[in-house]
Amino acid sequence: MADFGGSDLDAFRTEARDWIEANFPKSLKGKGGMMMREERSEPTPDMDAWRKAMGEKGWGVPTWPTQYGGGGLTPAHGRIIQQELGRVGAYNPIGGMGVMMFGPTLLEYGTEAQKQQHIPPIVKGELQWCQGFSEPGAGSDLASLQTRAEDKGDHYIVNGQKIWTSGAQWAQWCFCLVRTDTTKKHEGISFVLFPMDVPGVEVRPIPLIAGNSPFCETFLTDVRVEKDQVVGPVNGGWTVAKRLLQHERSGLSGAGGGGGGRSLVKLAKDYVGVDEAGRLSDTDLRTRVIMNEIDGRAFQLTAMRAMAESKANSGPSAATSIMKNAGTRWMQDRAELTIELMGHQGLGWEGDDFTPEELGAVRSWLGGKATTIYGGSQEVQNNIISKRILGLPDPK
Amino acid sequence: MAVLNEEQTMLRDAAKSWVQEKSPVTAFRKMRDSGVELGYDANAWNEMAEMGWAGVIIPEEYGGSDFGYLSMGLILEETGRTLTASPLLASGLAAASALVLGGSDAQKSEWLPKIAGGEVVGALAIDEGAHHAPEKVALKAEKSGSGYKLSGSKSFVLEGMAAGLLIVSARTSGQPGDTDGITLFLVAGDAKGVSRKRLHLADSRGAANITFDGVEVGEDAVLGEVDKGHALLEKTLDRARAGLCAEMLGSAVQAFEITLDYLKVRVQFGQVIGSFQALQHRAAKMFTDLELARSAVEAALQAIDADTPDVPELVSLAKAKMGDVFHLVSNEMVQMHGGIGMTDAHDAGFYMKRARAAEAAFGNQGYHRDRYARIQGY
């Protein structure tokens, strides 16, 4: 695909290459995958330095406006930064929910004061956000949430319980959906922000089937929320939340995928072997590996097409709506195939009888089951396609 | 839908309105009921040729417009919507590609303008058995005087009944299954010793088995190089496969849209059946798969236009994916229509029959999954 304005972009590529060369600590080469791990370790001084450098430069969020510290660049420039990072084994240290979901939403719906307060620390990677959306009784039917915010004049008092608040144990701030009107469903929800260290916030991590996890239960008891920390209108939080979920879904569909390890084909060759013609010797497995490879390629091509279309039509393409289901279906199939082709070695839980790659495959297979549940389950996505795209009616 | 330039948008819109006005599915039904030997309506084909569609991938110097394969794919997608039967794929795309890619100046000058104008229908005579297998060539071409003598037979030749020019793969050395030793020949449809028999297939399109009984051709009938025809054949076939995929995409999208419309009007248990989640989620799955297939098909056509080295793998990707999706959508079309979908009076059966014939043509899903993996070394 040709980029427009070639010479300007070529000059920028040189600039990006030189800057990364000068600032990226060589010791971190190829360590980007660590950022995605569910268990966190203390950052090294090199990691801190790299985060600070990218944060100051604003290149962690290249397309965000410069007045809040962002790069102020076009998506084409952003892709160049990504390519140049990848070229030398570097990674973008600015990430998390603040970048993926909350930031873009606040830029769209926040007041000037809210943006001034919250965007720069996200740009610099100084603090982490967590998402207080789901509740024990409000999963796929998110709008039935019960966490209550009582109006106390100059502030709200919030009581309730949130669940699946990923990263709550490490987050400094929370964006949270609360009920400000109990007489209405969708129109009684507000989108509020509060720091996690205020009195009344209690976080308990939830062990999952894959072992340790970033997911938590968060209990809110008489938590004080300032009135200037409501994003969008009071009782108008559902609109803001829907926008945020769109950001979440587009981020979840394509994320990682390969996991940075060996390709499925390479693994299959190593574990299952090949015949004299070089074909995978297990013909049944070979067919299923091929189908997964084909699905992955078709998914990538669709991501590229959706990007080209939304650029040309200045609006989202219909193809975007399928990305979460198509992407997660592909990744889950891939994870199943990976442990299957490893045989018994693909069932290790811990211990030195298994390679780190084998142990990782097992945890990824288990952890990946969440991808068709969170961020709008597979079934909710199908409902959205049926209703919004295909125009099929609700049941009587 | 790929991002189109102005020329492509105009072509697509013109094709859309012609197909809707002049070639709805009722036209296909009429053609089928008439039992016409050609397997298409000659008047409709003349109109298509007059609009220049047969010359879309042919260079201007040979009477075409040289708009490229994505453009041709846009037309085929529209004709596919209503199952329009015509030699556009076999002649304007497949046979024309073989000549453009491998023809001498003399061969191009002789045949391309006629193909572009629709005066001659070209066809590929490639397969000899029930399954697509371009290496399994037994039809022999032996040296005879200054030319060659062709003996053998070809099966499932698309538009074989109409063909005025046959592009025939023949064995000049080696054994069936060898890629070396295959040579392509240009054989006039009325050459002495050529005989054809119409095949009546479930999809009612034009197809024939063709016998070559000592057919004499000159040395100038060799397309490309002697014994080295396999590479040219593969390149030609990849273009034909990509074009067929575009047609299949149009048919599958239309089958899906007809089904979706039915879900919104058919009432059972006091409500339209499209309000049932069991059907909604199957519809959402079909939509998802159609979007994925569209990306693969358009990427293959764009790769051909850009002449990138990944054409073979992208084409196999597209044919494998598109075949699976058309298969699914056509089955669901019948199932979701219920009893009415089983009747000949309804169009659902046409789409399902066409799906299977298109899946089998130029290699089915199994063939292209295997090829996709072989190209990438596993």
Side-chain angles (χ1 to χ4, degrees), chain B residues 1 9 24 39 104 128 167 179 185 207-208 230 236 262-263 282 323 363 368:
Chain B
M1 168 71 58
T9 307
S104 65
E128 301 184 7
I167 295 173
T179 51
F185 288 91
H230 183 256
T236 302
Y262 187 69
L263 294 182
R282 276 155 61 191
H368 284 288

mmCIF file of all heavy atoms in Angstrom, chain B residues 1 9 24 39 104 128 167 179 185 207-208 230 236 262-263 282 323 363 368:
data_model
loop_
_atom_site.group_PDB
_atom_site.id
_atom_site.type_symbol
_atom_site.label_atom_id
_atom_site.label_comp_id
_atom_site.label_asym_id
_atom_site.label_seq_id
_atom_site.Cartn_x
_atom_site.Cartn_y
_atom_site.Cartn_z
ATOM 1 N N MET B 1 -15.423 -3.638 0.784
ATOM 2 C CA MET B 1 -15.155 -3.226 -0.605
ATOM 3 C C MET B 1 -13.876 -2.407 -0.670
ATOM 4 O O MET B 1 -13.704 -1.462 0.074
ATOM 5 C CB MET B 1 -16.362 -2.426 -1.084
ATOM 6 C CG MET B 1 -16.180 -1.676 -2.364
ATOM 7 S SD MET B 1 -16.089 -2.723 -3.810
ATOM 8 C CE MET B 1 -17.652 -3.579 -3.716
ATOM 9 N N THR B 9 -15.073 2.815 -10.116
ATOM 10 C CA THR B 9 -16.397 3.100 -9.581
ATOM 11 C C THR B 9 -17.422 3.172 -10.719
ATOM 12 O O THR B 9 -18.521 2.619 -10.618
ATOM 13 C CB THR B 9 -16.387 4.433 -8.800
ATOM 14 O OG1 THR B 9 -15.341 4.355 -7.830
ATOM 15 C CG2 THR B 9 -17.702 4.672 -8.097
ATOM 16 N N PRO B 24 -31.450 -10.054 -14.559
ATOM 17 C CA PRO B 24 -31.829 -10.549 -13.229
ATOM 18 C C PRO B 24 -31.839 -12.080 -13.225
ATOM 19 O O PRO B 24 -31.655 -12.689 -14.280
ATOM 20 C CB PRO B 24 -33.242 -9.990 -13.037
ATOM 21 C CG PRO B 24 -33.774 -9.812 -14.411
ATOM 22 C CD PRO B 24 -32.592 -9.495 -15.292
ATOM 23 N N GLY B 39 -25.259 -22.641 -23.084
ATOM 24 C CA GLY B 39 -25.255 -22.446 -21.631
ATOM 25 C C GLY B 39 -25.223 -20.983 -21.253
ATOM 26 O O GLY B 39 -24.914 -20.631 -20.112
ATOM 27 N N SER B 104 2.830 -14.547 -28.610
ATOM 28 C CA SER B 104 3.728 -13.768 -29.469
ATOM 29 C C SER B 104 2.931 -12.580 -30.008
ATOM 30 O O SER B 104 1.699 -12.551 -29.894
ATOM 31 C CB SER B 104 4.196 -14.640 -30.635
ATOM 32 O OG SER B 104 3.082 -14.967 -31.448
ATOM 33 N N GLU B 128 -8.397 -33.272 -17.348
ATOM 34 C CA GLU B 128 -8.734 -34.497 -18.078
ATOM 35 C C GLU B 128 -9.510 -35.474 -17.206
ATOM 36 O O GLU B 128 -9.920 -36.534 -17.673
ATOM 37 C CB GLU B 128 -7.455 -35.137 -18.624
ATOM 38 C CG GLU B 128 -6.711 -34.184 -19.561
ATOM 39 C CD GLU B 128 -5.479 -34.786 -20.228
ATOM 40 O OE1 GLU B 128 -5.252 -35.999 -20.086
ATOM 41 O OE2 GLU B 128 -4.757 -34.014 -20.891
ATOM 42 N N ILE B 167 -7.496 -23.127 -25.699
ATOM 43 C CA ILE B 167 -6.116 -23.116 -25.224
ATOM 44 C C ILE B 167 -5.903 -24.445 -24.517
ATOM 45 O O ILE B 167 -6.489 -24.703 -23.464
ATOM 46 C CB ILE B 167 -5.862 -21.897 -24.328
ATOM 47 C CG1 ILE B 167 -6.017 -20.646 -25.192
ATOM 48 C CG2 ILE B 167 -4.469 -21.980 -23.693
ATOM 49 C CD1 ILE B 167 -5.972 -19.345 -24.452
ATOM 50 N N THR B 179 5.553 -31.712 -14.168
ATOM 51 C CA THR B 179 5.308 -30.323 -14.559
ATOM 52 C C THR B 179 6.107 -29.981 -15.818
ATOM 53 O O THR B 179 5.661 -29.172 -16.640
ATOM 54 C CB THR B 179 5.681 -29.345 -13.430
ATOM 55 O OG1 THR B 179 6.996 -29.634 -12.990
ATOM 56 C CG2 THR B 179 4.710 -29.461 -12.264
ATOM 57 N N PHE B 185 -1.132 -25.051 -26.464
ATOM 58 C CA PHE B 185 -1.405 -24.848 -27.893
ATOM 59 C C PHE B 185 -2.674 -24.028 -28.080
ATOM 60 O O PHE B 185 -3.624 -24.169 -27.308
ATOM 61 C CB PHE B 185 -1.598 -26.197 -28.597
ATOM 62 C CG PHE B 185 -0.331 -26.984 -28.755
ATOM 63 C CD1 PHE B 185 0.045 -27.896 -27.777
ATOM 64 C CD2 PHE B 185 0.484 -26.804 -29.863
ATOM 65 C CE1 PHE B 185 1.214 -28.625 -27.911
ATOM 66 C CE2 PHE B 185 1.662 -27.528 -30.000
ATOM 67 C CZ PHE B 185 2.039 -28.448 -29.022
ATOM 68 N N ALA B 207 -20.597 -26.100 -20.467
ATOM 69 C CA ALA B 207 -19.413 -26.921 -20.241
ATOM 70 C C ALA B 207 -19.437 -28.075 -21.228
ATOM 71 O O ALA B 207 -20.514 -28.498 -21.660
ATOM 72 C CB ALA B 207 -19.388 -27.458 -18.814
ATOM 73 N N ALA B 208 -18.242 -28.553 -21.580
ATOM 74 C CA ALA B 208 -18.183 -29.629 -22.570
ATOM 75 C C ALA B 208 -16.999 -30.540 -22.313
ATOM 76 O O ALA B 208 -15.985 -30.119 -21.750
ATOM 77 C CB ALA B 208 -18.081 -29.038 -23.973
ATOM 78 N N HIS B 230 4.039 -25.166 -18.150
ATOM 79 C CA HIS B 230 3.391 -25.261 -16.842
ATOM 80 C C HIS B 230 3.355 -23.925 -16.100
ATOM 81 O O HIS B 230 2.332 -23.569 -15.501
ATOM 82 C CB HIS B 230 4.081 -26.319 -15.978
ATOM 83 C CG HIS B 230 3.426 -26.509 -14.655
ATOM 84 N ND1 HIS B 230 3.953 -25.998 -13.489
ATOM 85 C CD2 HIS B 230 2.257 -27.103 -14.323
ATOM 86 C CE1 HIS B 230 3.137 -26.297 -12.498
ATOM 87 N NE2 HIS B 230 2.110 -26.961 -12.952
ATOM 88 N N THR B 236 -1.820 -18.262 -15.639
ATOM 89 C CA THR B 236 -3.130 -18.072 -16.262
ATOM 90 C C THR B 236 -4.237 -18.551 -15.322
ATOM 91 O O THR B 236 -5.240 -17.861 -15.114
ATOM 92 C CB THR B 236 -3.201 -18.856 -17.587
ATOM 93 O OG1 THR B 236 -2.145 -18.401 -18.437
ATOM 94 C CG2 THR B 236 -4.536 -18.661 -18.272
ATOM 95 N N TYR B 262 -35.593 -12.389 3.605
ATOM 96 C CA TYR B 262 -36.628 -13.369 3.959
ATOM 97 C C TYR B 262 -36.799 -13.453 5.475
ATOM 98 O O TYR B 262 -37.920 -13.540 5.979
ATOM 99 C CB TYR B 262 -36.262 -14.737 3.376
ATOM 100 C CG TYR B 262 -37.351 -15.769 3.538
ATOM 101 C CD1 TYR B 262 -38.554 -15.655 2.830
ATOM 102 C CD2 TYR B 262 -37.197 -16.859 4.385
ATOM 103 C CE1 TYR B 262 -39.562 -16.599 2.973
ATOM 104 C CE2 TYR B 262 -38.197 -17.807 4.538
ATOM 105 C CZ TYR B 262 -39.380 -17.679 3.823
ATOM 106 O OH TYR B 262 -40.385 -18.602 3.966
ATOM 107 N N LEU B 263 -35.682 -13.389 6.196
ATOM 108 C CA LEU B 263 -35.750 -13.450 7.664
ATOM 109 C C LEU B 263 -36.563 -12.283 8.230
ATOM 110 O O LEU B 263 -37.112 -12.369 9.326
ATOM 111 C CB LEU B 263 -34.346 -13.410 8.278
ATOM 112 C CG LEU B 263 -33.409 -14.589 8.007
ATOM 113 C CD1 LEU B 263 -32.081 -14.391 8.737
ATOM 114 C CD2 LEU B 263 -34.036 -15.902 8.439
ATOM 115 N N ARG B 282 -26.530 -17.043 13.329
ATOM 116 C CA ARG B 282 -26.032 -17.670 12.102
ATOM 117 C C ARG B 282 -25.883 -16.628 11.002
ATOM 118 O O ARG B 282 -24.935 -16.683 10.199
ATOM 119 C CB ARG B 282 -26.961 -18.808 11.678
ATOM 120 C CG ARG B 282 -26.612 -20.097 12.432
ATOM 121 C CD ARG B 282 -27.762 -21.037 12.546
ATOM 122 N NE ARG B 282 -28.285 -21.502 11.273
ATOM 123 C CZ ARG B 282 -29.432 -22.179 11.142
ATOM 124 N NH1 ARG B 282 -30.136 -22.471 12.223
ATOM 125 N NH2 ARG B 282 -29.843 -22.560 9.962
ATOM 126 N N GLY B 323 -14.610 -20.453 -1.297
ATOM 127 C CA GLY B 323 -15.340 -21.705 -1.494
ATOM 128 C C GLY B 323 -16.080 -22.114 -0.241
ATOM 129 O O GLY B 323 -17.266 -22.468 -0.283
ATOM 130 N N GLY B 363 -9.992 -26.025 -9.032
ATOM 131 C CA GLY B 363 -9.482 -26.479 -7.730
ATOM 132 C C GLY B 363 -10.429 -26.131 -6.603
ATOM 133 O O GLY B 363 -10.774 -24.970 -6.404
ATOM 134 N N HIS B 368 -6.852 -26.091 -2.807
ATOM 135 C CA HIS B 368 -6.176 -24.816 -2.559
ATOM 136 C C HIS B 368 -5.635 -24.690 -1.139
ATOM 137 O O HIS B 368 -4.661 -23.967 -0.911
ATOM 138 C CB HIS B 368 -7.095 -23.650 -2.936
ATOM 139 C CG HIS B 368 -7.161 -23.481 -4.421
ATOM 140 N ND1 HIS B 368 -6.121 -22.980 -5.154
ATOM 141 C CD2 HIS B 368 -8.109 -23.841 -5.317
ATOM 142 C CE1 HIS B 368 -6.424 -22.992 -6.448
ATOM 143 N NE2 HIS B 368 -7.632 -23.524 -6.574
#
